[in-house]
Amino acid sequence: MVKKEPAEPEARQGGRGLLVLEVVFVLVVMTGLALWSVPAALVVGGVLGVLACERAMAERRTAGGDGA
């Protein structure tokens, strides 16, 4: 049986920095796309929002470990 070890606080801090960098990158790309085509930016933003929610739910599911 594989047991997942809890992450150290330093690892979580590095993850937060990467998350902030990822959010800033997506906002810059979305702003550039919106300057070119607003409808395309809305569609891409919706798709990225769904992907972000799915990713957060998957992380919560694995962190919780209850399987529900």
Side-chain angles (χ1 to χ4, degrees):
M1 183 170 159
V2 177
K3 185 174 181 182
K4 186 175 179 181
E5 295 294 324
E8 292 83 22
E10 297 85 21
R12 281 190 228 127
Q13 187 65 26
R16 282 193 195 127
L18 188 60
L19 179 65
V20 169
L21 185 64
E22 183 179 354
V23 168
V24 169
F25 175 77
V26 169
L27 287 176
V28 168
V29 168
M30 291 299 297
T31 303
L33 184 59
L35 288 172
W36 180 61
S37 172
V38 174
L42 291 172
V43 169
V44 171
V47 170
L48 291 176
V50 169
L51 291 175
C53 290
E54 290 290 330
R55 180 176 166 184
M57 285 175 25
E59 287 177 2
R60 184 175 296 157
R61 223 176 284 132
T62 57
D66 59 351

